[in-house]
Amino acid sequence: MYYVVYGILWLVSLLPLQVLYVFSDCVYGFVFYILKYRKDVVMNNLLIAFPEKKETERKQIAKKFYRNFTDNFIEVIKLISASPQYVLKHFKGDYSLYEPLFTEGKRCQSLLAHNFNWEWACLAGPLGMQQKFLVVYMPLVSRTTERLLIKLRTKTGAILLPATNMRNALVPHRNESYNLVLVADQSPGDPSNGWWFNFLNRPAPFLKAPESGARRGNTPVLFVKIIKEKRGHYRAIFEMGEENPASLQPGEMTKKYVDFLERSIREHPDLWLWSHRRWKWEWKPEYGNIIE
């Protein structure tokens, strides 16, 4: 099954991107107007995040989000046959913050979010920096889909580490200069095992693991924002989040990331993945204080 699916997608990926966007436009119409995929979740999330906006404004954000959502999948298919030169033409970034860390032999973390198009970032990153590019990912139930995504995400040099066994997977790289990339806007499986913050007007838990790892090794942490310059063209913007995480109080570094994430979402609301249930947990006192 894998070879059949891969062969079909590879042939489709040979089409020019502008032709593929015609398919994306059609899928957008079906997903938004007919299927209404997770539309209630999207609109409720937008109401939580932007209560000050008019309903018409939130609907406009939702429409732009769904267009980016379908573009995301089409662009991922295009990457199957895309060359490194093609990737660098369509996804740019200034990686200079990573250079002194590599020169000094330091490891680092990069925290990004589910911003379109994070899959292109996975291919562009290894081409723009000298460190080993280690990406934490969540294994999928479908073997065919997981095999396809692993092949795609590693084609320019990224090394994938399963989130379910990250510590052991990291061991072979422990003495090397690497950049550990984590999509850090996910909810913990257990709401009592996370840091709680007021995020876009409502309490939400964030994973403790990125901060815990950074504080344990005093590993510099960079924050990454992806913006869409125009259709099919993205840019990564990097910010030094914290050079010495071990010097901070527990939860302080994650608070910096949450603030960075909220600013990024407010600047480009249509680029974030609103279809996931970010506020699925209700805060309870037994979960601990909400960090301000």
Side-chain angles (χ1 to χ4, degrees), residues 109 167 195 207-219 245 251 253-254:
Q109 273 190 22
R167 284 192 178 183
W195 302 116
L207 296 167
K208 288 184 175 180
E211 174 177 324
S212 298
R215 294 181 74 244
R216 187 165 52 248
N218 200 27
T219 305
M253 196 210 75
T254 305

Side-chain angles (χ1 to χ4, degrees), residues 133-139 154 158-173 178-181:
F133 198 80
L134 310 181
V135 180
V136 179
Y137 81 104
M138 184 60 67
T154 58
I159 299 170
L160 300 190
L161 309 179
T164 51
N165 191 32
M166 191 185 78
R167 284 192 178 183
N168 289 333
L170 196 56
V171 169
H173 314 286
Y178 61 72
N179 176 24
L180 183 65
V181 182

Side-chain angles (χ1 to χ4, degrees), residues 60-105:
Q60 285 302 311
I61 294 174
K63 286 184 176 181
K64 290 181 180 179
F65 157 73
Y66 277 101
R67 285 194 175 276
N68 289 323
F69 183 74
T70 56
D71 276 2
N72 181 80
F73 286 100
I74 290 298
E75 290 165 354
V76 169
I77 292 174
K78 182 61 183 176
L79 289 179
I80 293 174
S81 63
S83 66
Q85 293 74 21
Y86 186 94
V87 173
L88 291 175
K89 179 181 178 181
H90 289 264
F91 193 104
K92 300 183 183 300
D94 178 1
Y95 300 94
S96 57
L97 284 176
Y98 292 93
E99 293 173 4
L101 299 176
F102 178 76
T103 301
E104 296 168 18

Side-chain angles (χ1 to χ4, degrees), residues 66-245:
Y66 277 101
R67 285 194 175 276
N68 289 323
F69 183 74
T70 56
D71 276 2
N72 181 80
F73 286 100
I74 290 298
E75 290 165 354
V76 169
I77 292 174
K78 182 61 183 176
L79 289 179
I80 293 174
S81 63
S83 66
Q85 293 74 21
Y86 186 94
V87 173
L88 291 175
K89 179 181 178 181
H90 289 264
F91 193 104
K92 300 183 183 300
D94 178 1
Y95 300 94
S96 57
L97 284 176
Y98 292 93
E99 293 173 4
L101 299 176
F102 178 76
T103 301
E104 296 168 18
K106 291 184 178 180
R107 298 186 290 269
C108 63
Q109 273 190 22
S110 293
L111 304 186
L112 63 157
H114 283 96
N115 270 67
F116 304 120
N117 188 321
W118 65 86
E119 295 290 356
W120 283 37
C122 186
L123 269 66
L127 301 173
M129 61 186 67
Q130 296 169 285
Q131 288 96 334
K132 270 195 169 183
F133 198 80
L134 310 181
V135 180
V136 179
Y137 81 104
M138 184 60 67
L140 303 175
V141 175
S142 169
R143 289 187 178 183
T144 298
T145 304
E146 177 166 8
R147 191 174 175 185
L148 284 167
L149 284 176
I150 289 175
K151 182 176 180 63
L152 174 64
R153 291 169 174 170
T154 58
K155 67 180 290 184
T156 59
I159 299 170
L160 300 190
L161 309 179
T164 51
N165 191 32
M166 191 185 78
R167 284 192 178 183
N168 289 333
L170 196 56
V171 169
H173 314 286
R174 64 185 182 277
N175 296 322
E176 299 173 294
S177 176
Y178 61 72
N179 176 24
L180 183 65
V181 182
L182 303 105
V183 180
D185 61 345
Q186 303 183 69
S187 295
D190 180 357
S192 65
N193 190 30
W195 302 116
W196 281 81
F197 304 91
N198 281 313
F199 173 61
L200 290 171
N201 303 309
R202 182 170 293 187
F206 282 76
L207 296 167
K208 288 184 175 180
E211 174 177 324
S212 298
R215 294 181 74 244
R216 187 165 52 248
N218 200 27
T219 305
V221 178
L222 293 92
F223 302 152
V224 187
K225 174 173 64 177
I226 302 172
I227 61 173
K228 188 173 187 175
E229 297 185 318
K230 61 180 181 178
R231 204 174 196 184
H233 291 266
Y234 298 88
R235 181 174 296 277
I237 299 173
F238 304 93
E239 178 181 306
M240 179 57 73
E242 179 54 51
E243 290 191 70
N244 299 291

